[in-house]
Amino acid sequence: MKLTLDGLRNKDEWKGYRLPSFDYAKVKANTVERPEWIHFGSGNIFRIFPAKLCQRLLDKGLMDTGIIAGEGFDGEIIDRIYKPHDNLTLAVTLHADGSIDKEVIASVVEAVKCDRTATDEWKVLTDAFTKPSLKMVSFTITEKGYALYNPAGELFGFYKEAFAKPIEESGVFLCNLTQLLYLRWKAGAAPLALVSMDNCSHNGDKLKADIQTIAKAYVDNGSLPAAFLDYVNDESRLSFPISMIDKITPRPDDSVRDMLTKDGFEDSEPIVTAKHTYIAPFVNAEEAEYLVIEDRFPAGRPALEEAGVYFCDRETVDKVERMKVTTCLNPLHTALALSGCLLGYTLISKEMQDEDLNKMVHILGYKEGLPVVTDPGIIKPSAFIDEVIEKRIPNPFMPDTPQRIATDTSQKLSIRFGETIKSYLASDSLDVSSLKIVPLVYALYLRYLLAVDDEGNAFTLSPDPMTETLQPALASISLGDKGDFTEVLRPLLSNSKIFGLDVSATPLFRTVVDDFASLVSGKGAVRATIHRIVNG
């Protein structure tokens, strides 16, 4: 069983696998002639979620063009995963009851690096962007992909360097994207929707601010005409809808690879790129998936509601996003990730069998989170969190790790926990001092930065852009230290960019400091502290 177009011709070999039913050659030809959908960020969640949504519409005859996938960060993904497999992906869905669905996704008909030096691939993008048929450009480039400024509020050095040169010489993805938009404007200024599908608050607003900042920088340096800004700033022609996406998609897992190999699937070996992307010809993920998008598409859009996507107004998307990101899922994940790394866990599902950690997420979700959730109407918060706690996180067949989820924690805390604190502070009926898991998580994060587990063993922190800044601030603290850490922690906890607000100015400051002192007091202190707090 080879994951190629030729390999799919012998359908008898693929028994038990769902195969695409549309005419691939015709769809590819249509896409080249009149592209409708480009997606940037060609990693795992795209391959098993947005790409699968497109395939559903293709199979139903509701679309007749596929997706052009672009990669602006890690070109190895295109060269080592997409091209050898004719842009196909094997999607493996792991159900909580142990059943497995296996489907070949063929909706990506072109996959290219967003790199001017790859001339032929760059031409695929420039040709597509200049055609009026293009309706939507979507993104899964991760939350840090939108960062123009460092935590001190200064423009990153690589952007300073890019803005000092003509836009044609930039190697930065968002600058390349801005040039593609300029080429579209130059070719007639056809309308377009730029749809961030990344897992961050107000993702479309972040993308809009980035493009407007970059465009102005290149107008200021003379690379682009001032009239281009009218197009960038006119949401009747260039829209930036916000969205909420939710689907747990771990790295490719060895047990899934072994299962596929037993089936006779020959392309099951994962790779790790030079940029530390873990990827394979297959993608493994959970069954549950949600995508809610603000319905602002000036050029029209695919009928993705027929594949399960919710389209609604901005207020509703915002409520769903806040429900998921600030209370009902993401905070629970981060709490388990930090606890799991410190307690030696390597599977999130195993953590849910730990009585203390199970209690922790129940308190965090139901007692501390739900009181500040506004019901979005289209998804009921209590039902959503029930599914998260009872089915999704405990799914024993999901090979998700606390180490993966702990990645970029510094970029997540402000939204996942800071927003809840702000809601309590603003409420006339809720007492912020009643929160006990939210401050515990802040303390766990600071304890995690010591890079020593609960048994006193050193471990490797997950990648995070703030590690080199934050770790030195804690260098004076070692496991087993006793005393008052107030003045050591004050500068850290006053950083609103990380924690969402100046924690040192809230009633929770003392709680976080005391929790940290407890967590760092010796071997076994993480376990003892969590047990005490969740049972208190």
Side-chain angles (χ1 to χ4, degrees), residues 61-330:
L62 298 174
M63 283 186 73
D64 64 358
T65 61
I67 301 175
I68 298 171
E71 177 56 41
F73 172 71
D74 194 341
E76 277 191 77
I77 295 174
I78 302 299
D79 293 336
R80 298 181 63 187
I81 293 295
Y82 279 83
K83 292 189 183 302
H85 303 289
D86 295 332
N87 305 323
L88 302 174
T89 293
L90 177 59
V92 181
T93 301
L94 308 170
H95 299 273
D97 64 3
S99 62
I100 296 170
D101 292 336
K102 295 167 285 188
E103 178 179 7
V104 176
I105 306 297
S107 58
V108 176
V109 297
E110 293 266 16
V112 296
K113 298 183 287 292
C114 186
D115 179 356
R116 290 187 190 84
T117 64
T119 308
D120 291 343
E121 295 179 64
W122 179 249
K123 188 175 185 301
V124 170
L125 294 173
T126 57
D127 285 351
F129 263 84
T130 52
K131 290 185 176 178
S133 60
L134 187 64
K135 298 176 178 178
M136 176 171 76
V137 179
S138 55
F139 302 82
T140 49
I141 59 174
T142 76
E143 185 168 5
K144 59 187 174 184
Y146 301 94
L148 301 187
Y149 301 92
N150 65 23
E154 301 166 340
L155 198 67
F156 280 118
F158 57 90
Y159 274 110
K160 290 181 181 178
E161 292 177 12
F163 294 164
K165 302 175 183 177
I167 193 169
E168 294 82 7
E169 296 179 15
S170 170
V172 181
F173 166 66
L174 287 178
C175 298
N176 291 345
L177 174 64
T178 304
Q179 188 191 5
L180 290 168
L181 292 171
Y182 165 67
L183 294 176
R184 185 171 182 81
W185 172 79
K186 193 176 177 181
L192 187 65
L194 301 179
V195 187
S196 171
M197 297 179 179
D198 275 296
N199 183 20
C200 55
S201 181
H202 288 175
N203 44 25
D205 294 344
K206 295 179 188 296
L207 179 59
K208 176 182 177 180
D210 286 351
I211 297 302
Q212 291 178 342
T213 298
I214 292 168
K216 187 175 186 308
Y218 282 111
V219 167
D220 289 346
N221 82 4
S223 291
L224 297 176
F228 173 58
L229 291 178
D230 294 336
Y231 179 60
V232 168
N233 295 328
D234 183 357
E235 288 220 21
S236 70
R237 291 189 290 171
L238 202 63
S239 70
F240 297 86
I242 62 171
S243 72
M244 189 286 292
I245 192 168
D246 181 19
K247 188 174 181 71
I248 300 172
T249 309
R251 294 171 177 173
D253 185 68
D254 288 347
S255 65
V256 176
R257 176 201 61 194
D258 294 343
M259 173 201 70
L260 296 174
T261 300
K262 287 180 182 178
D263 284 351
F265 184 70
E266 299 176 43
D267 301 306
S268 58
E269 200 60 38
I271 67 166
V272 182
T273 71
K275 292 189 174 180
H276 307 293
T277 302
Y278 290 74
I279 197 164
F282 68 90
V283 180
N284 42 237
E286 65 171 344
E287 175 185 13
E289 57 188 29
Y290 299 88
L291 181 55
V292 184
I293 304 176
E294 181 185 5
D295 200 357
R296 288 193 298 121
F297 290 79
R301 59 170 175 76
L304 289 167
E305 65 274 15
E306 298 294 334
V309 175
Y310 296 90
F311 287 99
C312 49
D313 60 27
R314 183 180 182 86
E315 182 181 4
T316 302
V317 180
D318 193 44
K319 289 177 181 177
V320 175
E321 184 266 331
R322 285 182 61 84
M323 176 192 74
K324 179 243 179 182
V325 175
T326 70
T327 52
C328 291
L329 173 59
N330 293 20

Side-chain angles (χ1 to χ4, degrees), residues 380-418:
K380 190 174 181 180
S382 59
F384 185 88
I385 199 170
D386 286 346
E387 182 184 44
V388 167
I389 287 181
E390 295 172 9
K391 295 181 180 179
R392 296 177 65 182
I393 297 179
N395 183 346
F397 304 99
M398 273 290 292
D400 209 3
T401 68
Q403 291 74 24
R404 180 190 78 87
I405 296 170
T407 300
D408 299 332
T409 297
S410 69
Q411 308 299 294
K412 301 170 180 176
L413 292 172
S414 64
I415 297 298
R416 299 186 180 192
F417 301 94

